[in-house]
């Protein structure tokens, strides 16, 4: 250890930074009375190989505790012990028996004996604690890679789970790589063929898989504990720094295929839970800084629904969040972020909602994040719902109203026509006042949180018994319909109706104004057996069964062709920042019912038709949406309406594959002046397109 000399070091930057001759360590704690840096030879060691006290006189600047240690190399395992008051009534929870992760640690290791319970008990947990790892992140060869910054108008998001994507034995991925970043690389040809342009990965920050009911695991990953470290469980490489490089290998490979990487990030809470939870890092470093405390300061505010709430608008926490995002963009090359329960970031340290939350403006105005996709889940677990009113000039929003209103329409709900039409044209009732481009709305019908698309059309009620909470967990308002039979059915008529409904949902999602998102496996009607909250199901309930691709080849084909036209959309309006309302005016929308120019906006209406002109190309589209349970005969616009060429049929979801969607140059003529839209179907016709030309798609 003689070559590992300690000297005062410096306060900036935070974390463990490689320097000539060693590493500089810096960590924030306002109320601590003492901090020790612990060095370990292995993650399972019961005691550190070296303890380096950080002198509060010589090694403390402001509230930053720092030290430089020479002779250390990347791969060294380390952690902290922090001394200070144990006084929960005043919010102080210092506990020097706990080994703490570095909040800025670039990598983490998890002992085989890791125990969440041990981090709760009044005993030393060195042998069972997660620990941080020193990394020199500057040495990776990116081979010229950089974030893609694809236009939002030509973006199709594929929400997926790194492990669930390839963990199933049918994935065809090498056994060592199943369920890992390396497994995703092996499946890139599939993603390219499907036609998606961005993967949105469920949380990949190091999380606590034991943050789950007894006997189950936290599968989704919404239990972060080390914001700068890729989750070790998703790496086929288990050497100390393997996950960092394997994650970057995945990003680089996806970029080569033209696919962006968006991370689902959780800055609203951590895995430390409520007052009974474990001490893993932030709680033991400076509880009153990092968390919003209740009036009873021994308790935590719980706007996240998971036990605690990060104090995101505190200056120190704001800096950590922005530093983290900048790191993932600059060093890990990711293209965007989806912020889980983002409305929590609008709360002040007392939990009150503030009009211009500093952390949100910090994120938006950070130059290193310019051009990065920022997507908000604009609500929280305490009832704050900000869809259509999220702050900022660049944030996009998960449009939960789109999900609900489109589901209601195709279920056949009364009074659903108005909401459906508004969602179809970009939700101007939500976004028209903001003078923002249409892509502010992220349109989706299904996501990880809720039913899969197959289950949306196969179950009228959730079936979450396997989660161990007596089916009380998960949303009750799913607006789902089982098409006549609850769960799996051998009835060909029921199955055909379910497939048709799935195609209806896909068609509306991809043709509506906004940025579309689809859920992993929906293109093959993946099922979770009616479980709409499978956060703790790390098994075949959640994994993608690749055998479904053969069984549901017609759905997969439909989605692939639909995506191929979506990505050809015009992007000029986005470059010019043309507002949604102006785009709607330029589209020359004309609404119809079964008779031209006579739309039925009544409470009992279940159908509508729309003619729109793609101005730049002189192409007309005629869309028919029939959610009624009987066929309807719709009049078609004629030469008198300016449509001088005959209509061609691109999509009719009632027809069997391959007639349900066709290549544009093979689209059959519609010989009559009317079109019969069959029950619960969507029809898309076009005219004015030269047969050999490819269109930029409906805008």
């Amino acid at each position: 250890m003689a070559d590992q000399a300690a000297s005062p070091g410096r306060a900036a930057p935070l974390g463990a930074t490689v320097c000539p001759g060693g590493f500089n360590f810096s960590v924030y704690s306002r109320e601590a009375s003492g901090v020790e840096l612990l060095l370990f030879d292995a993650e399972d060691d019961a005691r550190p190989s070296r303890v380096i006290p950080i002198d509060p006189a010589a090694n403390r600047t402001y509230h930053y505790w720092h030290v430089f240690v020479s002779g250390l190399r990347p791969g060294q395992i380390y952690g902290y012990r922090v001394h200070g008051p144990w006084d929960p009534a005043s919010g102080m929870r210092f506990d020097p028996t706990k080994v703490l992760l570095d909040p800025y640690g670039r990598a983490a290791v998890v002992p085989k004996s890791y125990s969440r319970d041990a981090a709760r008990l009044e005993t030393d947990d060195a042998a069972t604690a997660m620990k941080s790892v020193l990394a020199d992140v500057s040495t990776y060869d990116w081979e010229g890679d950089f974030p893609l910054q694809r236009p939002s108008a030509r973006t199709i998001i594929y929400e997926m789970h790194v492990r669930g994507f390839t963990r199933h034995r049918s994935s065809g991925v090498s056994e060592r790589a199943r369920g890992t970043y390396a497994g995703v690389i092996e499946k890139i040809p599939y993603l390219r063929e499907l036609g998606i342009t961005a993967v949105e990965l469920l949380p990949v920050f190091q999380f606590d898989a034991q943050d789950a009911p007894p006997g189950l695991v936290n599968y989704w990953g919404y239990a972060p504990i080390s914001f700068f470290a890729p989750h070790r469980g998703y790496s086929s490489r288990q050497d100390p720094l393997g996950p960092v490089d394997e994650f970057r290998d995945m990003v680089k490979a996806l970029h080569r295929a033209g696919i962006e990487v968006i991370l689902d990030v959780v800055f609203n809470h951590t895995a430390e839970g409520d007052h009974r939870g474990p001490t893993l890092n932030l709680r033991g470093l400076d509880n009153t800084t990092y968390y919003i405390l209740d009036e009873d300061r021994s308790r935590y505010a719980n706007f996240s629904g998971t036990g605690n709430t990060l104090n995101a608008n505190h200056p120190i926490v704001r800096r950590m969040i922005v530093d983290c995002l900048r790191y993932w963009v600059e060093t890990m090359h990711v293209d965007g972020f989806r912020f889980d329960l983002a409305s929590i970031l609008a709360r002040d340290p007392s939990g009150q909602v503030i009009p211009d939350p500093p952390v949100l403006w910090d994120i938006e105005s950070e130059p290193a994040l310019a051009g990065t996709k920022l997507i908000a889940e604009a609500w929280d677990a305490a009832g704050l719902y900000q869809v259509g009113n999220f702050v900022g000039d660049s944030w996009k929003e998960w449009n939960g109203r789109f999900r609900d209103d489109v589901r209601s329409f195709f279920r056949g709900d009364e009074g659903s026509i108005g909401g459906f039409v508004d969602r179809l044209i970009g939700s101007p009732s939500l976004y028209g006042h903001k003078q923002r481009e249409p892509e502010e709305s992220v349109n989706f019908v299904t996501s990880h949180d809720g039913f899969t698309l197959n289950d949306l059309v196969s179950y009228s009620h959730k079936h979450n018994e396997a989660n161990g909470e007596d089916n009380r967990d998960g949303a009750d308002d799913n607006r789902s319909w089982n098409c006549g039979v609850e769960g799996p059915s051998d009835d060909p008529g029921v199955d055909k109706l379910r497939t048709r409904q799935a195609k209806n949902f896909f068609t509306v999602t991809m043709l509506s104004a906004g940025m579309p998102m689809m859920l992993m496996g929906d293109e093959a009607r993946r099922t979770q057996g009616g479980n709409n909250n499978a956060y703790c199901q790390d098994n075949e309930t959640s994994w993608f069964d690749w055998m479904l691709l053969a069984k549901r080849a017609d759905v997969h084909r439909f989605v692939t062709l639909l995506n191929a036209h979506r990505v050809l959309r015009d992007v000029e309006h986005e470059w010019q920042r043309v507002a949604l309302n102006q785009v709607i005016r330029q589209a020359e929308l004309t609404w119809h019912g079964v008779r031209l120019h006579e739309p039925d906006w009544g409470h009992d209406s279940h159908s509508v038709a729309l003619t729109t002109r793609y101005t730049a190309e002189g192409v007309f589209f005629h869309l028919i949406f029939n959610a009624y349970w009987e066929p309807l005969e719709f009049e078609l616009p004629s030469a008198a309406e300016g449509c001088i060429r005959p209509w061609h049929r691109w999509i009719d979801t009632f027809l069997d594959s391959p007639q349900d969607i066709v290549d544009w140059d093979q689209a059959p003529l519609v010989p009559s002046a009317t079109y019969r839209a069959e029950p619960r179907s969507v029809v898309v016709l076009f005219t004015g397109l030269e047969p050999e030309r490819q269109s930029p798609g409906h805008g």
Side-chain angles (χ1 to χ4, degrees):
M1 298 289 182
D3 60 335
Q4 295 181 356
S7 57
R10 60 182 187 269
L14 283 161
T17 309
V18 65
C19 302
F23 275 79
N24 185 78
F25 297 82
S26 178
V27 66
Y28 174 90
S29 182
R30 177 176 179 171
E31 304 293 346
S33 60
V35 178
E36 296 171 325
L37 172 65
L38 314 178
L39 303 180
F40 292 86
D41 292 336
E43 64 240 42
D44 294 292
D45 286 355
R47 58 182 58 86
S49 58
R50 186 178 178 194
V51 177
I52 302 172
I54 301 180
D55 188 331
N59 296 57
R60 182 177 184 179
T61 306
Y62 183 56
H63 304 310
Y64 300 106
W65 301 72
H66 47 82
V67 65
F68 174 81
V69 183
S70 64
L72 295 182
R73 298 181 179 277
Q76 171 69 56
I77 298 169
Y78 73 102
Y80 291 102
R81 289 197 194 277
V82 180
H83 301 261
W86 174 262
D87 183 15
S90 65
M92 303 291 188
R93 290 182 175 271
F94 293 101
D95 184 353
T97 69
K98 301 296 175 280
V99 174
L100 306 179
L101 286 157
D102 180 355
Y104 278 69
R106 275 21 180 191
V109 289
V110 184
K112 298 178 183 64
S113 59
Y114 169 69
S115 171
R116 181 175 173 84
D117 287 335
R120 293 188 178 102
L121 303 176
E122 297 179 13
T123 56
D124 189 297
D125 74 339
T128 60
M130 295 189 207
K131 302 170 185 72
S132 298
V133 183
L134 296 182
D136 179 0
V137 294
S138 67
T139 60
Y140 183 79
D141 184 3
W142 277 106
E143 302 178 273
D145 178 82
F146 51 87
L148 299 180
Q149 296 194 0
R150 176 185 286 271
S152 296
R154 291 184 179 172
T155 295
I156 301 172
I157 298 173
Y158 188 76
E159 192 200 30
M160 59 176 274
H161 189 283
V162 169
R163 179 169 168 81
F165 189 51
T166 63
R167 181 62 184 84
H168 198 279
R169 61 187 180 279
S170 65
S171 67
V173 169
S174 57
E175 187 170 354
R176 176 175 172 272
R178 287 179 195 165
T180 69
Y181 307 121
V184 174
I185 294 173
E186 291 192 35
K187 282 296 185 181
I188 287 176
Y190 171 80
L191 295 172
R192 288 192 66 181
E193 178 197 9
L194 184 62
I196 58 92
T197 70
V199 291
E200 183 174 301
L201 306 180
L202 265 67
V204 297
F205 295 174
Q206 181 63 46
F207 62 87
D208 185 358
Q210 292 184 12
D211 186 7
L216 299 171
V217 299
N218 192 308
Y219 168 72
W220 282 352
Y222 292 94
I225 203 57
S226 191
F227 295 107
F228 292 74
H231 186 61
R232 177 162 294 274
Y234 295 160
S235 178
S236 65
R237 292 179 51 184
Q238 288 299 299
D239 55 289
L241 295 175
V244 179
D245 283 344
E246 188 172 318
F247 179 88
R248 292 190 283 190
D249 289 345
M250 177 190 70
V251 172
K252 184 166 60 176
L254 285 164
H255 283 175
R256 283 175 174 166
I259 298 172
E260 292 185 303
V261 179
I262 299 171
L263 302 186
D264 191 335
V265 293
V266 186
F267 292 117
N268 57 77
H269 75 280
T270 77
E272 291 187 300
D274 62 16
H275 61 284
R276 299 161 296 184
T279 298
L280 303 171
N281 63 350
L282 303 182
R283 173 175 294 172
L285 278 164
D286 204 313
N287 191 53
T288 60
T289 290
Y290 285 106
Y291 294 109
I292 297 178
L293 303 182
D294 213 338
E295 288 186 19
D296 174 357
R297 293 179 68 78
S298 68
R299 300 291 192 269
Y300 295 86
N302 188 21
F303 301 111
S304 67
T306 59
N308 65 48
T309 303
L310 208 62
N311 191 8
N313 281 294
H314 187 286
I316 296 299
V317 186
R318 284 163 52 193
R319 179 178 294 113
M320 180 182 72
I321 291 172
V322 174
D323 286 349
C324 179
L325 297 172
R326 191 169 58 239
Y327 171 76
W328 284 97
V329 170
E330 293 182 335
T331 304
M332 307 298 272
H333 284 206
V334 305
D335 303 272
F337 305 95
R338 177 264 187 189
F339 291 75
D340 179 61
L341 299 182
S343 290
I344 285 179
L345 304 183
R347 295 185 183 273
D348 68 14
S350 67
Q352 297 300 306
V353 180
I354 45 183
D356 290 300
V359 68
L360 295 177
W361 284 109
D362 284 353
I363 293 168
E364 174 159 328
S365 61
E366 167 58 48
L369 302 181
T372 299
K373 290 182 172 66
L374 303 174
I375 303 171
E377 183 184 36
W379 54 84
D380 69 16
L384 179 58
Y385 195 84
Q386 296 179 310
V387 172
N389 292 294
F390 203 74
V391 304
D393 297 325
S394 297
W395 289 86
K396 305 180 191 309
E397 298 175 16
W398 264 27
N399 190 346
R401 302 292 190 198
F402 182 97
R403 173 199 60 206
D404 295 344
D405 290 340
V406 171
R407 287 182 176 193
S408 290
F409 177 74
F410 282 114
R411 188 171 66 170
D413 291 359
E414 301 293 320
S416 61
I417 188 70
F420 172 76
V421 164
D422 191 71
R423 306 302 159 237
L424 183 68
I425 60 174
S427 299
S429 67
L430 296 175
Y431 301 111
H433 68 288
K434 299 181 75 173
Q435 296 302 304
R436 287 282 308 282
E437 60 277 8
E439 287 73 29
E440 181 174 0
S441 175
V442 177
N443 298 332
F444 68 102
V445 172
T446 56
S447 69
H448 71 277
D449 193 3
F451 281 138
T452 66
L453 188 57
N454 175 82
D455 292 357
L456 182 69
V457 299
S458 302
Y459 294 90
S460 293
H461 309 283
K462 65 183 182 182
H463 297 268
N464 297 358
E465 291 80 7
N467 297 350
E469 299 182 44
D470 296 323
N471 209 34
R472 293 190 303 269
D473 63 306
D476 293 314
D477 179 16
N478 296 289
R479 308 193 188 194
S480 60
W481 177 50
N482 63 19
C483 295
V485 178
E486 188 74 358
S489 173
D490 294 329
D491 186 324
V494 170
D495 191 66
K496 185 174 181 178
L497 175 56
R498 289 174 175 173
T499 291
R500 184 158 78 251
Q501 288 283 75
K503 292 175 182 177
N504 291 341
F505 284 124
F506 270 120
T507 303
V508 170
T509 302
M510 293 303 163
L511 296 189
S512 294
M515 190 163 69
M517 183 184 82
M518 59 181 289
L519 174 63
M520 175 189 88
D522 276 355
E523 71 275 18
R525 284 185 53 184
R526 184 180 71 86
T527 181
Q528 292 179 172
N531 192 325
N532 76 348
N533 188 35
Y535 77 100
C536 55
Q537 298 297 324
D538 184 11
N539 50 51
E540 294 194 10
T541 297
S542 299
W543 302 340
F544 190 163
D545 180 353
W546 291 81
M547 292 185 291
L548 290 170
L549 287 171
K551 182 178 181 181
R552 302 297 181 187
D554 60 330
V555 179
H556 178 262
R557 173 188 175 275
F558 186 91
V559 175
T560 300
L561 288 176
L562 197 58
N563 288 349
H565 285 281
R566 170 76 200 202
V567 297
L568 297 174
R569 284 194 172 196
D570 179 55
V571 297
E572 186 175 351
H573 73 273
E574 186 175 350
W575 294 334
Q576 297 178 355
R577 298 188 69 85
V578 178
L580 171 63
N581 288 339
Q582 186 176 347
V583 171
I584 291 173
R585 288 194 298 271
Q586 292 173 350
E588 302 177 19
L589 306 178
T590 305
W591 298 98
H592 315 283
V594 291
R595 295 184 178 278
L596 291 175
H597 307 290
E598 297 181 17
D600 181 359
W601 304 126
H603 185 76
D604 298 331
S605 175
H606 299 284
S607 65
V608 69
L610 164 66
T611 307
T612 178
R613 180 179 179 182
Y614 191 84
T615 308
E617 300 291 332
V619 179
F620 288 88
F621 295 88
H622 191 71
L623 297 84
I624 301 171
F625 303 94
N626 182 18
Y628 193 49
W629 38 92
E630 299 290 344
L632 297 173
E633 195 82 21
F634 285 81
E635 294 179 352
L636 300 181
S638 63
E641 307 291 330
C643 305
I644 58 175
R645 296 186 181 91
W647 291 102
H648 294 257
R649 187 193 74 234
W650 177 31
I651 294 172
D652 186 337
T653 60
F654 186 83
L655 299 176
D656 292 332
S657 183
Q659 298 304 313
D660 52 351
I661 183 171
V662 298
D663 290 330
W664 282 48
D665 57 0
Q666 298 176 3
L669 284 172
V670 178
S672 65
T674 62
Y675 194 97
R676 177 185 167 100
E678 299 295 341
R680 304 187 191 276
S681 67
V682 174
V683 175
V684 182
L685 312 177
F686 66 87
T687 188
L689 183 71
E690 298 297 332
E692 69 276 6
R693 288 182 64 187
Q694 291 297 312
S695 165
H698 170 58

